[in-house]
Amino acid sequence: MTSDSHFRAAMRRTLSILAASLFFAYFIFATFVTNGKDDDTVVRELIVIIKDSADRHFLHKNDIIASLKNANLYPVNRFVSQINTNEIEKQIVKNMLVRTVSAYKTPSGKIKIEILQKMPVLRVFSANGSYYVDDLGRTMPTDFQYATYLPVASGNIEKSFAMSDLYKFALFLQKHEFWNSQIEQIYVHPNKEVELVPRIGNQRIILGDFSNFKEKMDKLQLFYEQVIPKTGWEKYDIINLKYRDQIVCTKK
C-alpha cells in the first residue's frame, strides 16, 4: 500500500471518530436541554375532554377538576416534571361514572385528559337500594340525571343477580330495536321468575326464568307480528312464555 493510500485510510478513520464524537456530544446536549426544559416548564393549562358528552351528560369538567384538587393532583402552575399522569388516571377512575381515562403531557407543556363515561342499560329498585347497571355489568350510582329511557327492574333483586342474568337480559333489550322501545319494566319474583311490563298493551308477560330468554322473546315477537294484528292488544290478560315451544295466553 502506498503512503498516499495510508494517508487516505487514516483520514477516513479520523473523520469517522470525529463524526461519532460529535453525534455523542449532540445527544448528550439534546438530552440535557430536553430535561432542563421539562424541569423549567410550568403547566399553564389542563384540557379535559369527555368524549361522549354529546350523548351522555353524567360527568362535567368541573367534577374532574374538583377531584384532582381534593387529591392534591391538580397540575396547573406546577412543573411538568412533577406531574405523574398515572396517579391522575388512578384518581379519576375512582369515579363510578368513568369507564376509561387517559392522561398525558403534550409537547407544549399542557396536561390533557380524555375520558369515556359508562353507559347505563338498566335502572334497579330493590330492598338493597337503587342503582344503575351499565353495559359492562357494573353498577353505577343514581345521583345524576339521565333522561334517556331505560327499563326499570324491581322486586326481589340481589346485586349479584342484577350484575349477571338481569344485566345480560337488559343488554339484549338495548341492542334489539323492537324490545328496546317495547319493554318498560322487569319484575323479579322471589323464585327468580320474571314478569315483563310492556309499554303498549296491559298484559302480564310471564317470561319464567332467564334460561333461553332470546328464544322466548323471539316467540313473543312472532306472536305480536302474527296474532295481535288479528285480535288486538286488549284481548289477552296474560301471555305466558315459560313453556318450551309454545305460548299460553289467558283471555280477559
Side-chain angles (χ1 to χ4, degrees):
M1 181 180 292
T2 65
S3 59
D4 186 53
S5 298
H6 282 294
F7 176 76
R8 286 197 298 271
M11 284 295 294
R12 283 196 295 270
R13 286 195 298 271
T14 301
L15 289 174
S16 297
I17 294 171
L18 180 61
S21 300
L22 288 173
F23 176 80
F24 181 74
Y26 173 78
F27 176 77
I28 296 298
F29 174 76
T31 302
F32 175 79
V33 170
T34 302
N35 290 339
K37 182 179 179 181
D38 281 345
D39 290 339
D40 294 339
T41 300
V42 174
V43 177
R44 296 301 182 191
E45 185 179 3
L46 170 64
I47 302 171
V48 178
I49 299 174
I50 302 175
K51 291 185 174 181
D52 48 3
S53 59
D55 301 319
R56 310 167 202 180
H57 307 284
F58 317 146
L59 282 172
H60 299 278
K61 177 181 177 180
N62 291 341
D63 300 329
I64 303 303
I65 291 174
S67 173
L68 294 179
K69 286 182 176 179
N70 290 337
N72 196 30
L73 291 171
Y74 187 63
V76 174
N77 294 328
R78 295 185 179 184
F79 291 117
V80 171
S81 58
Q82 296 176 336
I83 306 304
N84 188 327
T85 54
N86 288 331
E87 290 301 318
I88 289 176
E89 291 176 351
K90 290 178 182 178
Q91 176 62 26
I92 293 173
V93 84
K94 291 178 182 178
N95 190 313
M96 294 186 70
L97 301 178
V98 172
R99 181 169 185 166
T100 63
V101 57
S102 175
Y104 54 93
K105 305 171 184 178
T106 70
S108 59
K110 299 175 183 178
I111 302 300
K112 194 170 184 179
I113 300 172
E114 297 181 354
I115 296 171
L116 281 176
Q117 302 170 92
K118 291 183 178 180
M119 168 59 80
V121 296
L122 180 71
R123 178 74 182 267
V124 175
F125 292 93
S126 73
N128 298 318
S130 175
Y131 49 89
Y132 290 100
V133 177
D134 75 3
D135 58 346
L136 296 178
R138 303 176 299 194
T139 60
M140 298 173 61
T142 59
D143 54 350
F144 65 92
Q145 297 297 320
Y146 188 60
T148 303
Y149 162 75
L150 290 176
V152 172
S154 59
N156 188 13
I157 302 175
E158 298 173 356
K159 189 166 286 190
S160 59
F161 182 73
M163 298 169 65
S164 55
D165 290 359
L166 195 52
Y167 146 73
K168 293 174 184 176
F169 183 68
L171 196 62
F172 165 79
L173 296 180
Q174 185 200 55
K175 293 181 177 180
H176 195 292
E177 183 178 358
F178 179 76
W179 295 126
N180 188 44
S181 61
Q182 174 66 1
I183 300 302
E184 183 174 36
Q185 187 172 347
I186 304 164
Y187 184 80
V188 180
H189 291 277
N191 63 358
K192 294 297 185 289
E193 290 201 345
V194 175
E195 285 189 36
L196 306 177
V197 178
R199 293 179 65 85
I200 300 175
N202 56 2
Q203 303 89 5
R204 292 174 56 203
I205 301 173
I206 310 299
L207 185 69
D209 60 30
F210 279 127
S211 62
N212 303 313
F213 68 78
K214 185 179 182 304
E215 288 79 3
K216 294 174 182 179
M217 297 304 289
D218 287 344
K219 285 192 301 182
L220 181 58
Q221 184 171 1
L222 194 63
F223 179 80
Y224 278 170
E225 292 172 349
Q226 296 184 359
V227 178
I228 292 298
K230 299 175 183 178
T231 62
W233 289 99
E234 305 304 323
K235 182 174 182 178
Y236 299 106
D237 184 45
I238 298 174
I239 302 175
N240 195 330
L241 307 172
K242 287 175 56 174
Y243 306 104
R244 189 175 183 86
D245 299 326
Q246 62 178 317
I247 295 179
V248 178
C249 297
T250 303
K251 296 180 179 180
K252 292 184 178 180

